[in-house]
Amino acid sequence: MSLFADIRRRLDLRPSRSLNLAGSLARDRPEASSAEQPCGRREPHGTAGIDRSAYLAIAEALQDGADVVPASDEVGRRLAEDGVSLLEALDGLGALYRSIAGGEPAFDAVRALSSSWAEASLIYLHSLSCEDPLTGLSSLAHLRSRLGEIYREADLRGTSVPATHALVVVEPLYPAGITPLERELRLIDVAECLRIVFAGGDVLGRLGARRAAALVDRDPNLPDQVETVRALITQWRLDTDEPQLARVWIEGLPAAEQWGGRVLDELARPA
């Protein structure tokens, strides 16, 4: 059995009405929909199914003989953001491949679409609560809320946020072939290192699926604290001789609150 068929079989075993990870209750699939029609939430002419244009990038890559991975990655993210379930997204991918290539989707296309869908859905789920249950880091929404409070406090006191606060951003450098679970475990390690160094009232948050950040006071010791974070992360794992590499940097904050929020959005954007 192919990977795509196995994934479809596993998803078909799930209850027909299940929670869509992008935020809505997945609908029962219409009995009369065509096997070759990409299924999903929207159809430009009012019939059931995903808008065919959602898969346009993949279709063009197939027709041009180009690499389908970048297109599949982008399509998976957009479908998750539009509230399309993974089952529906894979149905659409399968229908597209059958209509253009005459067979099942390539492994690389299935993996890219599924991974980007999962990451986008994870970001959405994390935004629903104040704390990421796995790493213990604050959600992006909570980090944004605290940043807004800092800007309002600065307005009342007549101070400048760029001069008083900054973000310390950590982005683990993952080896090729790392799994989503292994990425999560690395972020747990990063969270622990940040808590050791920034043990006061600093807000430690998660920025998307790949980064973490500390919203900290800008004081003379900040560069030394950043170096300490980097050293801790590098030597954190005692069960391996390989250093755990990560990019660690100080991200300055803009003067206006609206631009501060955009900085968070850019840092949380999938790589």
Side-chain angles (χ1 to χ4, degrees), residues 71-219:
S72 300
D73 183 84
E74 177 65 16
V75 168
R77 180 182 65 79
R78 289 187 176 182
L79 291 177
E81 291 175 350
D82 287 345
V84 176
S85 72
L86 181 57
L87 176 60
E88 293 171 319
L90 290 175
D91 275 348
L93 183 66
L96 177 72
Y97 260 79
R98 287 190 292 272
S99 65
I100 295 179
E104 293 184 352
F107 169 79
D108 287 344
V110 174
R111 181 173 62 178
L113 185 146
S114 301
S115 296
S116 62
W117 182 95
E119 287 189 2
S121 299
L122 185 65
I123 291 171
Y124 173 81
L125 288 174
H126 288 164
S127 71
L128 299 180
S129 64
C130 291
E131 186 176 282
D132 172 24
L134 188 61
T135 63
L137 295 169
S138 296
S139 67
L140 179 61
H142 180 68
L143 190 60
R144 189 192 310 277
S145 176
R146 178 61 188 129
L147 183 59
E149 292 174 358
I150 289 174
Y151 275 101
R152 290 189 289 275
E153 290 169 1
D155 287 341
L156 291 174
R157 297 176 180 177
T159 57
S160 169
V161 171
T164 60
H165 289 80
L167 289 168
V168 175
V169 183
V170 181
E171 179 182 348
L173 300 179
Y174 302 110
I178 192 170
T179 66
L181 175 60
E182 290 170 331
R183 280 205 303 266
E184 291 297 304
L185 293 176
R186 286 290 305 277
L187 275 181
I188 293 174
D189 292 342
V190 167
E192 289 300 315
C193 294
L194 285 173
R195 289 190 191 95
I196 291 172
V197 178
F198 301 106
D202 305 301
V203 179
L204 309 181
R206 179 165 183 160
L207 298 172
R210 299 173 181 270
R211 291 172 178 158
L215 179 56
V216 301
D217 292 334
R218 216 184 240 285
D219 59 45

Side-chain angles (χ1 to χ4, degrees), residues 42 84 89 108 138 156 177 206 214 216 228 235 238 254 263-264 267:
R42 297 190 305 270
V84 176
D108 287 344
S138 296
L156 291 174
R206 179 165 183 160
V216 301
T228 302
Q235 304 174 25
L238 300 179
V263 168
L264 293 180
L267 290 171

